[in-house]
């Protein structure tokens, strides 16, 4: 008999708005284990995972929603807001100060992507123009270059998601871009051209993740499909799709051990799959509104790993599942 799915190990409440993004910081044994959440009201909460309480509020995006959170290094958090800026937060020694701001487009919902090119630290963001990607230099805070398809050629529409991947020293840096027309493009950043392009969805892509070790990616869309694709001979190839009972995936995340992939949907449900063959593993049905973001914790001890899911219902559910 199939075991029923577990309940959340804890639920974090008091987010002051729909939860739009999540980022764990748990890998350093000598520091607080935190989960950062961003909301549609523009506030960022650092949640102490020991006390299960918010350790304060970071509120410097003028009430505009937070699109994404991440780390430039262990002590610098970045937050992307709909106010058209990426704020860099200095977290050293318990501080919560903004050390810098980088202007980016406030059009659309595409999350920024940080990557290195040589000695340069770069940030890719959706541009204002159709299908345009702007790459900013973090040091100068100015545009370094842009990537845009040839006029009239696919892909078309707004950039919806970005992922960077340093394939090898020989092949250089690739940037994966997902578009409003349901397609994925593989950009050669050095040559600033599209190497391959593949239509994988019938509706706009809303989320994407990429597994550099297995050289394959996954996308979710406003349609009812979860699509997996890979690269063969520098060409994108459709690999597998899963038909969903309800349309609309807001988020997708591959766990760092390359064993599990999780999705969050408009139907309020969290779904877990085996990453190798997309075998359905669990359906976690707790939230009362769309699940907008998911993240896996980076605990050094795998048995302590957590899955977090944030929802429009203003709650964050924490789960301990498939950690063995």
């Amino acid at each position: 008999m199939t075991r029923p799915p577990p309940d959340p190990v804890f639920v974090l409440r008091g987010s002051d708005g729909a939860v739009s993004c999540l980022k764990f910081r748990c890998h350093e044994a000598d520091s607080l284990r935190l989960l950062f959440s961003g909301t549609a009201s523009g506030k960022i909460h650092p949640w102490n995972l020991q006390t299960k309480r918010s350790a304060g509020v970071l509120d410097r995006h003028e009430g505009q929603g937070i699109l994404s959170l991440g780390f430039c290094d262990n002590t610098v958090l970045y937050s992307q807001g709909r106010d058209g800026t990426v704020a860099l937060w200095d977290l050293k020694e318990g501080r919560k100060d903004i050390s810098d701001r980088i202007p980016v487009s406030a059009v659309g919902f595409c999350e920024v992507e940080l990557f290195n090119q040589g000695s340069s630290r770069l940030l890719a963001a959706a541009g204002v123009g159709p299908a345009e990607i702007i790459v900013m230099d973090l040091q100068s805070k100015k545009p370094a270059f842009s990537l845009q398809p040839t006029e009239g050629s696919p892909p078309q529409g707004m950039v919806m998601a970005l992922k960077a991947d340093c394939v090898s020293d020989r092949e250089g840096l690739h940037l994966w871009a997902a578009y409003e027309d349901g397609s994925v493009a593989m950009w050669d950043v050095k040559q600033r051209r599209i190497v391959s392009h593949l239509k994988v969805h019938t509706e706009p892509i809303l989320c994407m993740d990429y597994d550099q070790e297995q050289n394959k990616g996954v996308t979710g869309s406003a349609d009812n499909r979860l699509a997996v694709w890979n690269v063969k001979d520098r060409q994108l190839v459709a690999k597998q799709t899963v038909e969903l009972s309800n349309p609309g995936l807001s988020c997708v995340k591959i766990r760092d051990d390359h064993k599990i992939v999780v999705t969050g949907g408009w139907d309020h449900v969290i779904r877990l799959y085996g990453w190798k063959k997309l075998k359905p593993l669990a359906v976690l049905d707790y939230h009362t509104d769309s699940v907008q973001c998911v993240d896996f914790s980076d605990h050094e001890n795998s048995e302590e790993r957590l899955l977090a899911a944030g929802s429009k219902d203003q709650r964050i559910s924490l789960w301990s599942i498939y950690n063995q």
Side-chain angles (χ1 to χ4, degrees):
M1 183 176 178
T2 304
R3 290 186 300 172
D7 294 325
V9 295
F10 202 84
V11 177
L12 303 174
R13 294 176 172 87
S15 294
D16 300 318
V19 183
S20 52
C21 50
L22 295 166
K23 187 64 181 178
F24 278 103
R25 191 186 72 171
C26 303
H27 64 280
E28 293 188 45
D30 59 346
S31 64
L32 284 177
R33 295 180 176 184
L34 299 171
L35 171 64
F36 291 83
S37 67
T39 68
S41 62
K43 295 179 181 178
I44 302 163
H45 291 263
W47 298 92
N48 184 318
L49 292 176
Q50 183 174 357
T51 65
K52 306 296 192 299
R53 294 181 180 274
S54 175
V57 180
L58 311 181
D59 187 7
R60 297 287 294 277
H61 282 282
E62 301 179 356
Q64 300 297 307
I66 309 298
L67 291 176
S68 67
L69 296 167
F71 283 93
C72 299
D73 58 40
N74 290 335
T75 60
V76 178
L77 172 78
Y78 73 80
S79 59
Q80 175 193 6
R82 292 194 61 79
D83 59 348
T85 68
V86 172
L88 305 182
W89 300 84
D90 180 7
L91 303 180
K92 290 179 183 176
E93 300 174 350
R95 292 195 291 268
K96 298 171 184 175
D97 304 318
I98 288 184
S99 60
D100 221 335
R101 284 186 183 270
I102 302 163
V104 295
S105 168
V107 176
F109 297 90
C110 181
E111 299 181 5
V112 298
E113 176 76 351
L114 266 66
F115 61 97
N116 297 321
Q117 186 177 37
S119 60
S120 299
R121 186 72 161 152
L122 302 175
L123 180 147
V128 176
E132 181 184 30
I133 301 168
I134 300 294
V135 180
M136 307 284 294
D137 185 288
L138 279 188
Q139 185 173 0
S140 68
K141 300 185 290 296
K142 294 181 180 179
F145 55 89
S146 66
L147 303 172
Q148 193 161 9
T150 306
E151 185 176 352
S153 66
Q156 299 290 327
M158 295 173 60
V159 179
M160 305 297 288
L162 293 165
K163 286 290 175 183
D165 169 33
C166 186
V167 179
S168 69
D169 292 337
R170 180 178 62 84
E171 295 185 4
L173 178 74
H174 288 158
L175 186 67
W176 308 92
Y179 291 87
E180 191 177 8
D181 67 353
S183 65
V184 175
M186 181 173 73
W187 285 90
D188 184 313
V189 174
K190 185 176 181 180
Q191 297 184 14
R192 299 178 193 175
R193 68 181 184 90
I194 291 177
V195 177
S196 183
H197 165 260
L198 180 69
K199 184 74 176 281
V200 288
H201 292 279
T202 58
E203 297 288 341
I205 294 175
L206 303 177
C207 52
M208 173 172 63
D209 204 2
Y210 185 76
D211 181 346
Q212 181 175 341
E213 183 176 289
Q214 298 187 25
N215 201 27
K216 63 180 182 178
V218 59
T219 46
S221 166
D223 63 19
N224 65 336
R225 302 172 70 196
L226 179 68
V228 175
W229 35 270
N230 60 6
V231 180
K232 291 184 179 179
D233 300 322
R234 289 171 63 86
Q235 293 297 307
L236 286 166
V237 179
K239 182 176 176 64
Q240 189 177 358
T241 60
V242 173
E243 298 290 330
L244 306 174
S245 55
N246 298 303
L249 289 179
S250 305
C251 49
V252 63
K253 183 78 173 180
I254 303 165
R255 201 166 71 181
D256 287 345
D257 63 2
H258 316 284
K259 294 180 179 179
I260 303 288
V261 61
V262 62
T263 66
W266 294 354
D267 60 0
H268 318 168
V269 168
I270 306 157
R271 291 180 171 85
L272 284 88
Y273 302 89
W275 179 223
K276 186 176 182 179
K277 297 181 179 180
L278 285 190
K279 177 184 176 182
L281 299 177
V283 176
L284 308 178
D285 190 0
Y286 166 78
H287 291 281
T288 59
D289 209 332
S290 174
V291 176
Q292 300 197 116
C293 49
V294 290
D295 195 30
F296 288 107
S297 70
D298 51 351
H299 287 90
E300 290 185 358
N301 183 352
S302 63
E303 293 183 0
E304 297 179 328
R305 284 193 196 118
L306 293 171
L307 165 65
S311 170
K312 275 188 177 180
D313 65 14
Q314 305 188 22
R315 291 176 288 181
I316 301 167
S317 57
L318 300 177
W319 309 78
S320 178
I321 186 169
Y322 290 103
N323 288 338
Q324 301 300 323

